[in-house]
Amino acid sequence: MSAAAGTERPMRSRRPAIERPGHEAVATKGWLRAHKWLLMRRLSQALILAAFLAGPWLGLWIVKGNLSSSLTLDFLPLTDPYLLLQSIAAGQWPYREALLGAGIVLAFYLLAGGRVYCSWVCPMNIVTDAAAWLRRRLGLKGGKVPSAHTRYWLLGLTLIAAAATGSLAWEWVNPVSMLHRGLIFGFGLSWGIVLAVFLYDLLIASRGWCGHVCPMGAFYGLLGSRSLLRVSAGRRTECNDCMDCFAVCPEPQVIRPALKAAGQSHPLILDKDCTNCGRCIDVCSKNVFRLTTRIDRSES
Amino acid sequence: MNTRRPASAEPDRPIQPRRRFLKEMAGAAGGACLLSMGVGMIASEASARPATALRPPGALAEPDFLAACVRCGLCVRDCPFDTLKLAELGDNVATGTPYFDARAVPCEMCEDIPCVAACPTAALDRDLTDIGQARMGLAVLIDQETCLNFLGLRCDVCYRVCPVIDKAITLELVHNPRSDRHAMLLPTVHSDACTGCGKCEHACVLPEAAIKVLPHRLAQGKSAAHYRKGWEEKERAGGSLIGEQTQLPMRGLEDRNYGDTRVAPDYRPATPDGGLDSGWKP
């Protein structure tokens, strides 16, 4: 550790961008505009959580239940389609509310981009973003990152495990649903699993959980692979190769094809792994990126 | 030969990425396999739940329940008495599934069964419309050594609080062999009426309840399918199925009913001087 910190010092003076990405953007655009999407995203996460917590904390029952399945204003059912899929794989057919709820959620993410769930809704995002931020600030390198395909394998295998055991096997350990349920209904010992994810992302694998392991993210990624809402590197001719977008992006591999026209001609980020978090839009001092639709292939 | 030349000119290029890809895939598949197998094993291992953790009314049989329940907690939210709670990791009940501990807070048996109405996934079966038909467990008077009624007192609390009083719990009058002159009124549970709400367990006055609601699996035996009760068969058939039996005379008992082997049928115990017939009137 001390050896790593020793080699880190000269690095910091040479390339501050890696540890403080977005520095330039703050200087040119101002702090607020350089954090616009991040703030909106945190606001979205906080508001969703607040809506769930207003009931148990203040007695204001806006939303009952949790992200697995909920009822908003005693009227709108919403159900996590991945969870419902596991339940169906385990051999149980749900009531109409759950199917309707899952249908509404499916329709939304089909349009908005599946991994919008990951970056705008999922409470685990705050944990792993914190781990990624701390890892960057501490200059931690190395570790062992599993293949990014692991999540798709795990997605398939969680469904097979559900069918084989006839129960929601993944829900025994799923840190994502456990964190949200814990916040609303009480943690028990499950904070330990959340801490494990934080430490895994911090010490072992950079962006390991959300970017490589989480089968829920994989499910939503597949769901949104043809989504309408997309980030475009429309003004990519302005790019000055500062690498800030790569440093902050939770799925850095999705940027290159659009920004550097590698394997595609248009500037749209169409990779299903992109979470539409908009952080690249924030940190770019040259305003290369913008949120648009997949039809918009214009450059400028 | 010509077509193969480009490949042999760069022998490593097309192979190495593929090999790395395969290796990566194998690693990912292997890791995911291990993880999900572990999870599957935990799931099957941990699906046993403590006997005192009762499921809400209308819950499917445990294996089906664990497949159908999405751990959303809507039943918990709609329980007006805060009976239900969601299991937290470490409660030894499948994490996130609803249960209640009858000794702490029993089920109040709401007539509209709001918990069942709230469940979106059929883990709580909506075919249950009469809460009297719920079978959350079965009360068992598990400790006859400490139960006050078994000691000859008239506690009766479990009987009095039972929402299905006189059907699910009755008081059975039995001679008290210890005093030889009192009755014991024994709380007796009937499985055809007990819903397993747990009000009896909750109300038991002892520091540790003598009556407990247990899962049916623990509380009940099961008769073999081919067993017949002679007296039931006889009643159904309107007479003995094997015809009248030859009754051999027994020497010395000729004028008695068949099977009456009492030595002195006319015997009455001597009236004691005090005790029951002391003449005292309240």
Side-chain angles (χ1 to χ4, degrees):
Chain A
M1 214 49 164
S2 58
T7 55
E8 220 42 62
R9 280 206 177 275
M11 283 278 285
R12 185 172 294 173
S13 55
R14 259 191 297 133
R15 295 186 60 189
I18 297 300
E19 281 139 44
R20 306 293 304 261
H23 219 66
E24 223 179 303
V26 172
T28 54
K29 301 196 288 190
W31 191 90
L32 208 60
R33 278 196 61 213
H35 291 83
K36 188 176 106 183
W37 288 92
L38 180 68
L39 290 174
M40 271 164 48
R41 214 152 53 78
R42 292 286 177 254
L43 191 68
S44 152
Q45 290 163 341
L47 282 179
I48 289 168
L49 205 55
F52 277 101
L53 285 172
W57 286 8
L58 308 171
L60 281 169
W61 293 102
I62 304 165
V63 190
K64 279 194 244 176
N66 59 34
L67 281 177
S68 303
S69 191
S70 65
L71 191 62
T72 305
L73 300 172
D74 278 325
F75 164 71
L76 175 71
L78 293 173
T79 303
D80 182 359
Y82 170 56
L83 208 53
L84 208 62
L85 197 62
Q86 285 183 71
S87 183
I88 291 168
Q92 295 294 325
W93 194 251
Y95 283 130
R96 216 176 44 222
E97 285 95 317
L99 289 171
L100 183 66
I104 295 169
V105 173
L106 276 173
F108 175 76
Y109 288 117
L110 277 172
L111 277 178
R115 296 211 62 201
V116 161
Y117 174 85
C118 300
S119 55
W120 292 77
V121 179
C122 181
M124 190 56 89
N125 175 266
I126 301 167
V127 175
T128 56
D129 268 2
W133 177 83
L134 197 61
R135 190 178 163 92
R136 220 161 41 223
R137 291 304 296 270
L138 296 176
L140 298 178
K141 297 271 148 49
K144 179 129 181 69
V145 186
S147 157
H149 292 294
T150 308
R151 52 185 154 183
Y152 296 105
W153 284 98
L154 204 54
L155 171 61
L157 285 163
T158 53
L159 295 176
I160 292 171
T165 61
S167 70
L168 302 184
W170 181 246
E171 293 310 305
W172 289 89
V173 290
N174 187 353
V176 178
S177 54
M178 242 178 224
L179 172 59
H180 194 253
R181 196 168 52 232
L183 287 167
I184 294 162
F185 288 93
F187 270 104
L189 299 176
S190 49
W191 59 267
I193 289 190
V194 177
L195 184 69
V197 169
F198 178 80
L199 293 176
Y200 176 70
D201 265 29
L202 179 67
L203 304 172
I204 299 172
S206 166
R207 296 286 180 186
W209 177 261
C210 298
H212 299 81
V213 181
C214 180
M216 217 154 155
F219 174 83
Y220 279 103
L222 289 174
L223 191 63
S225 53
R226 315 293 306 164
S227 76
L228 192 63
L229 210 58
R230 285 295 173 185
V231 173
S232 164
R235 283 155 49 101
R236 59 189 172 187
T237 46
E238 304 280 312
C239 175
N240 64 352
D241 293 326
C242 73
M243 300 294 280
D244 278 4
C245 53
F246 286 93
V248 294
C249 182
E251 303 275 358
Q253 77 279 7
V254 307
I255 298 179
R256 215 175 82 88
L259 188 62
K260 298 293 161 200
Q264 69 178 46
S265 55
H266 58 82
L268 281 167
I269 298 178
L270 291 182
D271 196 302
K272 62 183 180 301
D273 291 340
C274 172
T275 68
N276 280 359
C277 72
R279 194 73 184 110
C280 52
I281 308 175
D282 276 347
V283 299
C284 183
S285 59
K286 302 290 176 194
N287 293 318
V288 167
F289 299 96
R290 66 166 184 271
L291 194 66
T292 179
T293 61
R294 70 183 302 125
I295 314 159
D296 171 23
R297 302 203 161 190
S298 64
E299 284 193 49
S300 74
Chain B
M1 275 311 263
N2 269 349
T3 51
R4 288 182 65 183
R5 185 162 283 166
S8 55
E10 300 172 321
D12 287 349
R13 269 258 179 96
I15 296 167
Q16 241 181 8
R18 189 188 302 157
R19 197 172 279 167
R20 198 188 318 130
F21 174 76
L22 285 174
K23 222 171 121 184
E24 242 175 39
M25 287 304 250
C33 242
L34 267 177
L35 194 56
S36 61
M37 260 169 67
V39 166
M41 260 149 75
I42 296 171
S44 48
E45 186 94 326
S47 53
R49 99 194 110 97
T52 49
L54 302 172
R55 293 297 184 198
L60 302 178
E62 190 67 6
D64 290 340
F65 182 79
L66 288 180
C69 173
V70 292
R71 288 91 161 132
C72 67
L74 283 172
C75 54
V76 174
R77 289 295 179 231
D78 280 5
C79 174
F81 298 96
D82 287 337
T83 302
L84 295 175
K85 48 191 176 181
L86 279 195
E88 295 168 5
L89 198 66
D91 284 348
N92 288 326
V93 180
T95 318
T97 56
Y99 76 105
F100 70 99
D101 178 1
R103 185 64 168 167
V105 192
C107 172
E108 296 286 341
M109 289 176 61
C110 311
E111 276 184 18
D112 50 348
I113 331 180
C115 49
V116 173
C119 180
T121 65
L124 305 182
D125 191 349
R126 285 183 196 165
D127 286 344
L128 179 76
T129 49
D130 171 14
I131 189 66
Q133 297 302 314
R135 292 293 178 266
M136 294 168 265
L138 181 61
V140 180
L141 205 158
I142 206 162
D143 191 357
Q144 305 186 351
E145 292 175 338
T146 51
C147 171
L148 295 179
N149 276 39
F150 267 85
L151 296 177
L153 283 88
R154 288 294 305 275
C155 162
D156 299 0
V157 165
C158 55
Y159 165 75
R160 294 284 167 206
V161 298
C162 179
V164 204
I165 185 169
D166 282 324
K167 292 196 188 77
I169 303 185
T170 56
L171 291 177
E172 298 295 322
L173 195 70
V174 173
H175 173 70
N176 185 341
R178 186 183 54 79
S179 71
D180 204 25
R181 64 185 57 175
H182 298 99
M184 298 190 295
L185 281 88
L186 303 182
T188 306
V189 180
H190 302 276
S191 63
D192 58 340
C194 175
T195 63
C197 73
K199 294 210 80 166
C200 52
E201 180 179 344
H202 176 68
C204 180
V205 300
L206 298 178
E208 177 76 48
I211 190 165
K212 288 188 165 83
V213 178
L214 300 178
H216 287 91
R217 175 178 52 84
L218 289 184
Q220 281 185 302
K222 191 180 177 197
S223 208
H226 64 281
Y227 285 7
R228 298 286 180 270
K229 290 172 186 150
W231 56 93
E232 283 177 4
E233 297 299 320
K234 190 172 172 182
E235 198 179 313
R236 204 172 299 146
S240 171
L241 294 173
I242 51 174
E244 284 306 306
Q245 297 299 292
T246 318
Q247 293 181 4
L248 296 173
M250 289 176 92
R251 200 183 306 162
L253 302 174
E254 284 85 359
D255 53 346
R256 306 267 192 92
N257 285 331
Y258 184 73
D260 183 359
T261 56
R262 288 173 297 173
V263 178
D266 302 327
Y267 168 80
R268 292 280 178 278
T271 318
D273 292 335
L276 287 175
D277 291 328
S278 63
W280 183 84
K281 292 275 184 295

